């Protein structure tokens, strides 16, 4: 497929500053410049136009996978990443490319007014090129958004499993939310590591915040308890609500001699007794 | 051929595994240990595996076997210093080491051994 004619490319190059102006105006009209600083926008548009023209001058076609488009692709990837972090949505980001279409077509129309056939061909080429570039932008935008979401999920996972030290030798892990295998893994790792670091003898897992306990959750809990025992520490499960106790019995789950307590206070009292710590009320 | 040293500390035997265990080494340790328990009439065995960052099912079974055979010879076994990653691996493998006593570190392990022996 023929690329944009060199004639057209040189025209674009000559009219660069005018194109940029019209482009920015179009961007502003479409609301795509929200949160973007004026200078930044100007620099971005100018750089992009220069990249396009230089690629076209090198004889690049409309297939943007080609090596000549490498710089442009990288520029767009950087741009969409920035936009994704700024919190712009996908249409605003893609608009960056599509807003150039209007001024670009107007220029072509003006230049090739006398040759309708050539004009139509050039317009088709330009249209294909912009569509491809726009799609590439959206693809990268989506990928960076997904990366942001993944990172947030991981952070949430870390946040939701704090290991707290209740007493010298007693650790507690208040669990909140559903227990799945991935979370159990994170919980197990952080709890076991803390047991080693602090040399604690007793770990209390508080499941007050766990909405339901089914066979899978019970299995995960048992795994954690077994791992803690293997390390040479002891484990108490606290916060077993009446409904959960009923479910466990109804399901016929065997907690294999795991010590369970109704609430954290009872568990702590038991831990203290095991450590040989006694409290007396001051008179 | 390399061997894992078995140290005597009073009425206890101390085994510190500091190299990667391969199967032959594990078998040798098992034989040596039973010989030493019988020769010294030790009351307890303390196995420190804090330097092991990988334990497979064979080593897991060896630990269970050692624990079982020393119990028959009237010696308590305590395994100390399991790394978190090792504990997780063992649980995932379904090896819960039933009948094996564990402790966090050597100090706690010795305390546990003394308590057990004093209780007898």
């Amino acid at each position: 497929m023929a690329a944009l004619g060199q004639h057209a490319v040189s025209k674009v190059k000559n009219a660069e500053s005018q194109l940029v102006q019209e482009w920015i105006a179009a961007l502003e009209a479409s609301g795509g410049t929200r949160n973007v600083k004026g200078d930044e926008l100007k620099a971005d548009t100018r750089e992009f136009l220069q990249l396009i023209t230089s690629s076209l001058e090198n004889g690049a076609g409309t297939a943007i996978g080609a090596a000549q488009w490498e710089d442009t692709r990288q520029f767009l990837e950087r741009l969409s990443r920035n936009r994704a972090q700024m919190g712009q949505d996908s249409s605003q980001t893609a608009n960056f490319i599509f807003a150039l279409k209007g001024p670009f077509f107007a220029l072509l129309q003006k230049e090739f007014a006398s040759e309708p056939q050539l004009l139509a061909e050039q317009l088709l080429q330009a249209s294909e090129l912009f569509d491809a570039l726009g799609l590439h932008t959206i693809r990268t935008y989506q990928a960076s958004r997904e990366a942001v979401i993944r990172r947030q999920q991981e952070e949430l996972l870390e946040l939701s499993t704090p290991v707290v030290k209740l007493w010298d030798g007693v650790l507690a892990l208040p669990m909140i939310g559903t227990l799945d295998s991935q979370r159990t893994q994170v919980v197990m790792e952080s709890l076991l590591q803390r047991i080693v670091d602090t040399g604690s003898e007793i770990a209390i897992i508080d499941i007050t915040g766990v909405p339901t306990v089914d066979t899978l959750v019970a299995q995960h809990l048992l795994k954690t308890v077994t791992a803690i025992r293997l390390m040479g520490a002891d484990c108490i499960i606290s916060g077993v609500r009446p409904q959960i106790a009923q479910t466990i019995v109804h399901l016929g789950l065997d907690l294999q001699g795991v010590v369970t307590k109704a609430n954290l206070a009872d568990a702590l009292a038991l831990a203290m007794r095991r450590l040989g710590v006694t409290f007396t009320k001051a008179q | 051929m390399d061997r894992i040293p078995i140290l005597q500390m009073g009425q206890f035997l101390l085994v510190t595994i500091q190299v990667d265990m391969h199967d032959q080494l594990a078998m040798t340790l098992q034989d040596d240990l039973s010989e030493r328990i019988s020769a010294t009439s030790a009351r307890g065995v303390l196995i420190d595996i804090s330097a092991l960052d990988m334990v497979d099912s064979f080593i897991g079974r060896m630990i269970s076997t050692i624990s079982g055979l020393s119990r028959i010879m009237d010696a308590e076994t305590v395994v100390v210093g399991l790394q978190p990653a090792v504990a997780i691996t063992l649980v995932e493998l379904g090896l819960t080491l039933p009948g094996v006593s564990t402790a966090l570190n050597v100090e706690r392990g010795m305390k546990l051994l003394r308590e057990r022996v004093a209780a007898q």
Side-chain angles (χ1 to χ4, degrees):
Chain A
M1 191 177 282
L4 275 169
Q6 290 301 330
H7 178 60
V9 175
S10 63
K11 288 289 176 212
V12 170
K13 210 172 178 187
N14 291 341
E16 188 189 285
S17 54
Q18 189 205 338
L19 261 180
V20 167
Q21 254 174 21
E22 287 176 34
W23 187 9
I24 291 177
L27 273 174
E28 270 162 3
S30 70
T33 53
R34 210 160 50 91
N35 302 341
V36 186
K37 284 191 211 84
D39 308 344
E40 211 175 307
L41 186 69
K42 222 170 261 174
D44 280 348
T45 46
R46 198 171 292 279
E47 190 185 344
F48 179 65
L49 211 57
Q50 275 162 1
L51 281 169
I52 285 197
T53 46
S54 72
S55 298
L56 286 171
E57 272 176 335
N58 288 336
T62 52
I64 61 154
Q68 289 103 322
W69 289 110
E70 180 65 37
D71 290 342
T72 317
R73 281 204 309 275
Q74 276 175 3
F75 170 79
L76 284 179
E77 279 156 25
R78 204 173 55 239
L79 183 96
S80 7
R81 261 200 301 278
N82 288 343
R83 296 289 151 99
Q85 273 159 11
M86 265 181 223
Q88 287 206 332
D89 64 23
S90 53
S91 64
Q92 281 171 329
T93 311
N95 228 336
F96 178 78
I97 305 289
F98 293 139
L100 178 60
K101 255 185 177 182
F104 200 88
F105 284 7
L107 180 81
L108 287 181
Q109 225 154 8
K110 204 169 73 197
E111 294 300 330
F112 296 103
S114 51
E115 302 156 278
Q117 204 173 349
L118 193 61
L119 172 66
E121 192 190 301
Q122 295 291 314
L123 277 180
L124 181 69
Q125 293 288 335
S127 181
E128 269 180 11
L129 177 64
F130 283 126
D131 288 351
L133 289 172
L135 276 178
H136 184 70
T137 317
I138 292 184
R139 221 170 19 239
T140 336
Y141 172 87
Q142 223 158 21
S144 29
R145 280 299 274 217
E146 272 158 21
V148 169
I149 291 172
R150 251 196 318 278
R151 208 192 58 231
Q152 283 173 343
Q153 269 176 342
E154 280 163 16
E155 275 169 13
L156 211 62
L157 213 59
E158 297 271 315
L159 278 180
S160 62
T161 54
V163 181
V164 287
K165 185 176 170 176
L166 286 187
W167 197 268
D168 200 25
V170 184
L171 290 181
L173 179 89
M175 295 246 225
I176 292 158
T178 338
L179 270 178
D180 53 22
S181 38
Q182 200 196 352
R183 255 194 89 186
T184 314
Q185 189 79 24
V186 176
V187 167
M188 233 201 266
E189 277 170 19
S190 54
L191 184 57
L192 295 188
Q193 195 54 55
R194 277 296 294 263
I195 288 177
V196 173
D197 294 345
T198 58
S200 301
E201 281 169 64
I202 298 170
I204 302 172
I205 300 180
D206 185 71
I207 57 166
T208 314
V210 179
T212 49
V213 172
D214 55 14
T215 45
L216 201 67
V217 174
Q219 198 202 345
H220 289 321
L221 275 177
L222 279 179
K223 267 189 188 171
T224 315
V225 173
T226 316
I228 292 171
R229 277 199 187 147
L230 279 179
M231 303 266 308
D234 230 336
C235 185
I236 303 169
I237 291 181
S238 75
V240 186
R241 280 174 285 134
Q243 305 97 298
I244 287 185
Q246 285 204 17
T247 327
I248 291 176
V249 174
H250 278 304
L251 287 171
L253 298 176
D254 178 18
L255 288 183
Q256 286 172 17
V258 178
V259 184
T260 49
K261 287 279 167 191
N263 53 49
L264 190 60
D266 288 349
L268 183 61
L270 176 65
M272 291 311 198
R273 240 188 346 268
R274 283 197 190 164
L275 288 177
V277 180
T278 47
F279 291 102
T280 45
K281 202 169 179 181
Q283 292 303 309
Chain B
M1 209 192 71
D2 46 342
R3 274 163 190 274
I4 291 173
I6 300 168
L7 314 172
Q8 189 176 5
M9 251 183 85
Q11 50 184 351
F12 303 123
L13 293 181
L14 190 63
V15 180
T16 309
I17 302 174
Q18 288 180 343
V19 288
D20 271 340
M21 287 293 272
H22 50 80
D23 297 0
Q24 187 54 48
L25 199 59
M27 297 303 294
T28 319
L29 175 65
Q30 212 168 298
D31 295 344
D32 288 357
L33 198 58
S34 48
E35 291 289 331
R36 285 296 295 270
I37 294 173
S38 134
T40 59
S41 45
R43 301 301 310 276
V45 178
L46 190 129
I47 305 175
D48 174 28
I49 57 167
S50 54
L52 281 188
D53 47 13
M54 198 201 73
V55 169
D56 59 10
S57 53
F58 190 85
I59 307 298
R61 216 185 69 203
M62 177 207 79
I63 292 172
S64 289
T65 314
I66 288 181
S67 171
L69 70 86
S70 43
R71 195 172 304 122
I72 292 171
M73 302 173 84
D74 195 27
E76 292 283 334
T77 309
V78 175
V79 177
V80 302
L82 245 87
Q83 293 297 314
V86 173
I88 292 172
T89 318
L90 284 179
V91 171
E92 296 293 339
L93 283 172
L95 285 170
T96 53
L97 304 185
V100 178
S101 307
T102 48
L104 274 176
N105 48 40
V106 177
E107 199 185 325
R108 293 256 171 81
M110 286 309 266
K111 198 174 144 218
L112 187 65
L113 272 181
R114 272 189 215 109
E115 281 168 11
R116 289 270 175 88
V117 171
Q120 278 173 5

